[in-house]
Every structure is written in structure tokens, then in C-alpha cells.
Amino acid sequence: VWGALHGFALVAERVVSAGRVPRPVGKVAAFAGWAATFSWVVLCFSIFRSPDLTSAVTLFERLLGLGTGGTISLPSAWWVLFAAAAVLHAVTWRTRTRAEQWFNQLPAFVFAGLLGIAAAVVIFFTPLDAAPFIYFQF
């Protein structure tokens, strides 16, 4: 199934690239194309990762709100955190040149200290137990 979906996406890309379908231009169109490609890949990988087709259908039903049940829910505080992270990302992306200039003006020992703190934060949040790589399970 995953291979057929992948083949369908390749055919669709070739049809658009060949000019048989009008291709919108601009930043919004580019973002829409990126979002559509990302969504398609995630949906196809969900099918690939599911143990059987019934599990994949159940997953998609729950994603669309059509299925019942479920054992995991995300607290609303996490959605606020995700929104804040998205805003922070957008703001820092627009001001990255100023940030680069600011970091370049720092003394080397201050920059090294900040880098060490960032590394310590990453290590603090790294899980101690490792999950095996997915392909080792087959």
C-alpha cells in the first residue's frame, strides 16, 4: 500500500512538473505545496508504520475525529506551549541577522559559556533509556 501511495505521489509530481496542470506561483503557493507534501509523507508513513491496514484505518479515523475512544490526550497547557514556540520561532527567524551580529560581538568565553548551558539543557531533557531503531524491529 505504501509503495502504491508513493507511486501515486510521483505521478502527480510529474504531471504538475510537465505543465499539464497549472502551477500556482508565489510564497503562499510554495508554502501550500510544502504543507501538502509534508502531510502526504506523514500520512503515508503512518500506513507504513501501522502493523496492519485495520490499525491504519483506525488511526486515520481518530485523526479526523471520526473514531471513538483513545487513551492519550494532550493537556491544553501543551497547546499554549506549542503556540508560544511557533511565535518565538517566527520572531527569531525574522531577527536572525541581528542575533548573529550580537553573538559575533560576544567575547569567546561568554559564547562558550552560553553554548555549554545550551548543551546542558539538551542533555538534561535527553531520555536515559533508548528506544531501538524502527528497522531493527523487523
Side-chain angles (χ1 to χ4, degrees):
V1 173
W2 187 86
L5 293 172
H6 183 250
F8 173 76
L10 286 173
V11 168
E13 190 274 333
R14 298 297 165 124
V15 167
V16 171
S17 294
R20 295 186 178 126
V21 176
R23 186 178 200 164
V25 294
K27 289 184 179 183
V28 173
F31 178 76
W34 175 87
T37 302
F38 179 78
S39 299
W40 183 259
V41 169
V42 168
L43 291 175
C44 290
F45 280 167
S46 300
I47 293 172
F48 175 71
R49 182 62 177 102
S50 296
D52 54 21
L53 214 48
T54 306
S55 299
V57 169
T58 302
L59 171 71
F60 293 132
E61 285 176 348
R62 290 185 181 172
L63 281 174
L64 297 172
L66 303 174
T68 59
T71 58
I72 300 174
S73 63
L74 198 59
S76 56
W78 281 99
W79 291 107
V80 172
L81 180 65
F82 292 150
V87 169
L88 180 66
H89 175 75
V91 168
T92 55
W93 181 255
R94 293 191 178 273
T95 60
R96 67 186 180 277
T97 55
R98 282 186 268 160
E100 287 175 8
Q101 292 171 353
W102 184 77
F103 276 116
N104 287 336
Q105 292 175 354
L106 288 176
F109 70 92
V110 174
F111 181 77
L114 290 173
L115 191 60
I117 291 170
V121 168
V122 168
I123 290 170
F124 179 77
F125 287 108
T126 302
L128 297 176
D129 56 337
F133 188 58
I134 184 172
Y135 295 112
F136 294 158
Q137 297 175 12
F138 295 108

